[in-house]
Amino acid sequence: MSGPDLIVQRWTTRSAWFVAAMGALVVLLALGPTVFSAGLTDRLTTLFIYVILGAMWNALAGYGGLVSVGQQAFFGLGAYAAIRLSHAEVPVYPAIVLAGLAVGVLSLAVGEVMLRLRGGEFAVGMWVVAELAHLLVNLDPLVQGETGTSLIALNAVGAVARRGYNYWLALATMAALLGVLFALLRGRVGTAIQSIRDDEQAAGSLGVRVLPTKRIVFVLAATGCAMAGALWLSTAITFQPKAYFSVQWTAYMIFMTLVGGIGTFEGPVLGAVLFFLVETFFGARGVWYLVGLGAAALAFSLFLPRGMFGALDQRFSLRLLPLGYRVMLPGLLLRRGESGRG
Amino acid sequence: MAEPGTILAASGLGKRFGALVVLGDVDFAVREGEAVGIVGPNGAGKTTLLNVLSGAYPPSAGRVTFRGQDVSALDAAARCRRGIARSHQIPRPFSGMTVFENLLVAARAGGGLRGRAAELRCLDALEQCAMMPLANRRGETLGLLDRKRLELARALATGPQVLLLDEIGGGLTDGEAADLVGIIQAIRARGIAVVWIEHIVHILVQVVGRLVCMDAGRVIAEGAPGDVLRDAAVIDAYLGPSAHAHPVG
């Protein structure tokens, strides 16, 4: 055996089918508003926003090791930026998209400070950022303090058209963000960011540009959460700072990621679907619903630390997405290597 | 310090942590393709020297030059991209990534390679370090010896011109140590300079042509391994001033 003859496998037949099926699913979902009932269309819009939130938090914490409990900062700022842009006469749907991008640019500055913190300092620091953002937004007379305001320009769009636009924009944003994340993780940023997660100092000693790599993931996650906030505003119309800058948003992101499978691409999507179903059926139970969510997240992190998808993947070697690398070893070598697994 | 053929050099190098002086005025140079061993009792400053050479710590005094250029202000990542790679005394695997992916980080970031070129570099380094059977194992599943070899393979995957090894042989059996000597000799044969800190002197002298002995943050002896090991100051440092009658080595 000689090294250069070996194949490094990424795509498998199964992963090619899976990616094709997911692409087809997005195309089918795009037909949604023309087929689904109004209620289902609204609910699915919500699901897409949840998927965005889960995937973005996982990108940050699961792949980058950047555990943030302040992602609601960007969620709230995204909604606020949409209000501001719309107030400045930007047409309402472009305003929603621009709001996400604008907050993404702002997050560059936030990251310059926050990414110098590590571990718990970063986590708590992000919460401080969220509280600060909340207070600053309240200073804007347009928001009218906690009374809040509305995205009034949406009233000019008919209810049926609005439902469709919201749905399509949420679906397109979700697909685009997942696509960008997938492309990043498949390339050199993917290996670099995971090495930083596992050992920042060792990554640096191997030539990894630590801060620029973290910055890419931080800005992506901030942009995604801001888009989610602006999209949420498009469905809710009203903007009350307390509701958007609430830590519950980050709690939901953590729940989806932990239950679905932290550090796996598929996990948080699965987690978002589960969260969505639980909310749909038990959301009306008030406090006990929240207690149940908390207990479930705790149970998963104790007993299934890699979440539902992580457990399935380990048990069945699913490898649904071509994100990792597998060296195709001759059988004899493979058995020697695998024998010590455990 | 700009002697021809010198690839990595330190002049007047000092490192202090607060009031504690760990390195005081160290001059040190490695020629291209040369193998140098560093020995010395615990606390002599060997690992600190390696940390300052690799850029993990900035020096408090003096400077580090690589191919005649002052690299003192560069961090470890930038020095690695120029060709200075290191292994860690306590292995630091990327535990959530496979062995192959661990190397891929090094080949891409440190080696600046892309695509199949990066993969080939990793496969070559795995083969060189006899780690191919472990290619698909996650870092966290490796035992201590494999973690040490991973340190070596990963440093090699950056495509270094100088390899700084920090006690890569600690805890090995004689057979494993012999394998390691073979691997490092093969690395040298590729023209890569090696600076190797090691307590196990008998495996060190099989590879290095020159030995540097440190004590209390200074170089106390330097030269051919046999001479250094018979040096009175070295014997004092290891065994105390009364031990001259029983030379080590």
Side-chain angles (χ1 to χ4, degrees), chain A residues 1-8 10 186-192 194-210 306 323-329 333-334 336-342, chain B residues 51 56-57 76-78 80-81 84-86 88 92-98 100-102 104-106 108-114 116 119-120 123-124 126-127 132-138 141 154-155 158:
Chain A
M1 176 213 54
S2 140
D5 299 335
L6 293 174
I7 292 168
V8 178
R10 306 207 68 189
R186 253 181 76 79
R188 46 202 293 136
V189 172
T191 43
Q194 292 179 74
S195 74
I196 294 169
R197 170 197 66 197
D198 287 347
D199 192 327
E200 185 169 322
Q201 200 183 326
S205 80
L206 293 171
V208 174
R209 290 175 168 89
V210 172
R306 301 195 64 212
L323 286 173
Y325 302 79
R326 182 157 291 257
V327 182
M328 301 309 284
L329 299 168
L333 280 174
L334 192 65
R336 262 178 61 202
E338 302 284 309
S339 63
R341 186 182 281 277
Chain B
N51 281 333
Y57 301 150
C80 177
R81 292 194 293 269
I84 306 172
R86 59 124 6 127
H88 296 91
R92 315 181 71 131
F94 302 129
S95 52
M97 308 174 79
T98 69
F100 180 79
E101 288 163 358
N102 267 263
L104 203 52
V105 171
R108 283 172 166 176
L113 298 176
R114 288 167 179 272
R116 182 68 181 161
E119 291 176 0
L120 288 175
L123 293 171
D124 181 54
L126 284 175
E127 175 126 312
M132 196 64 87
L134 304 172
N136 298 321
R137 287 264 302 269
R138 276 163 74 94
T141 69
R154 219 166 50 173
T158 66

Side-chain angles (χ1 to χ4, degrees), chain A residues 282-304:
Chain A
F282 301 103
R285 305 267 168 108
V287 173
W288 285 107
Y289 155 70
L290 293 174
V291 171
L293 282 185
L298 207 62
F300 268 94
S301 43
L302 282 173
F303 302 112
L304 280 180

Side-chain angles (χ1 to χ4, degrees), chain B residues 216-229:
Chain B
R218 290 174 185 281
V219 173
I220 57 166
E222 184 173 359
D227 297 342
V228 169
L229 294 173

